[in-house]
Amino acid sequence: MNGHTREPGPGTVVVVTGASSGIGRAAAAAFAARGARLVLAARSADVLAQVAGRCAEAHPRAEAVAVTADVTDFAATERVARTAVDRFGRIDIWVNAAGVGVLGRLDQVPPADVRRLWETNVLGAFHGARAALPVMRRQGSGILIDVSSVLGGAVVAPYMGAYAASKAALVTLDEVLRQELRLSGDTGVAVCTILPGGVDTPFFRHAANHTGRRVRSLPALATPQRVARAVVRTAARPRSRVHVGPGSRLLPWAHALAPGTVRSLVRRRTGRVYLDAPGTAPVTRGALYEPSAATASVAGGRHAGVRTAVRRVAGCTAALASAAAVRSAARHLPSRGLSSPHHRRS
């Protein structure tokens, strides 16, 4: 996008929102392991302080500052940016990873919950961009990374309408920002959109649930660490859109090729496989209005790492079996060398 090929390392100043849990926490750890200087933002003050402490210990040159902030508040987000500039003198990378979820039929989800979700997922990212971009423009360089989702960015699913719409809005906002930066001549500033598929974070534990149905199972999941590695790679070599995780490329491709089939498949699996029967879960607000606090963690307990390893072993086994079958078939083919009657000269 802008010729960036600099690996984030010691001295790089990185701001991460949503750093107390999930992808944000994993991204903070990944940058810290490379010696970055971090400003971490989230609502859970105690957990955030612990995360900052671990990041500071991850590398001899790593530093980490915790700033308790709610990204729905622009003044609080500006305070995060000022902290980075006052402490480290610049902002090289800003990662908008704060996000919340709401499950439920669109005609049954309380408007206040939808508004809160949009204030966090969309306005929160907008506030981050609004705070970071003026600093990056003055510097002549910088990378803004927004964590969106394949859900909304490419496909949709029932009971996830408000969330999917918020993630689709991020894709649009980022595209507009890229155009405006080109028009203003700020070619040293990059805007990147991360589009993960399913990720094993505490998302569903923290999401408000108005379905009355327990989340029973989920599709193939990536680990938060895998998404974090993609964020770091994107910071080194910015790209407009980066897909991460199982099906994150295949699903949009399949949807473009056969949208009706994919929509039907997603609809059936969501209604019959991913959610339990009605009455299996109470109505909850999750972490929509209150910090996740003690329930904050990197992973969601779905064992995505083990499931990924099993899928890879199964894939390798299938590939080896296919190769063996091809070799076996080749051995049993009739010889057609130069000694064959078809090749003898008359």
Side-chain angles (χ1 to χ4, degrees), residues 105-227:
R105 276 176 39 181
L106 281 177
D107 62 341
Q108 294 179 344
V109 174
D113 284 10
V114 175
R115 184 180 302 110
R116 177 65 181 178
L117 178 144
W118 271 68
E119 287 174 346
T120 303
N121 294 5
V122 183
L123 276 181
F126 169 76
H127 290 162
R130 186 68 182 79
L133 289 178
V135 178
M136 294 177 177
R137 280 184 161 127
R138 289 195 298 269
Q139 296 167 178
S141 65
I143 303 166
L144 176 70
I145 300 176
D146 283 334
V147 179
S148 180
S149 174
V150 168
L151 185 62
V155 297
V156 297
Y159 312 118
M160 295 284 286
Y163 175 82
S166 73
K167 292 303 183 177
L170 274 187
V171 173
T172 300
L173 284 175
D174 285 354
E175 189 58 41
V176 171
L177 282 174
R178 281 188 281 269
Q179 292 181 0
E180 292 176 349
L181 286 166
R182 283 184 174 275
L183 285 172
S184 62
D186 295 297
T187 56
V189 181
V191 177
C192 310
T193 311
I194 305 294
L195 294 157
V199 187
D200 183 16
T201 70
F203 174 84
F204 285 100
R205 190 161 66 233
H206 293 164
N209 188 348
H210 294 279
T211 66
R213 304 171 68 178
R214 181 175 60 89
V215 178
R216 181 167 55 189
S217 67
L218 293 171
L221 298 172
T223 64
Q225 291 82 1
R226 180 174 177 179
V227 182

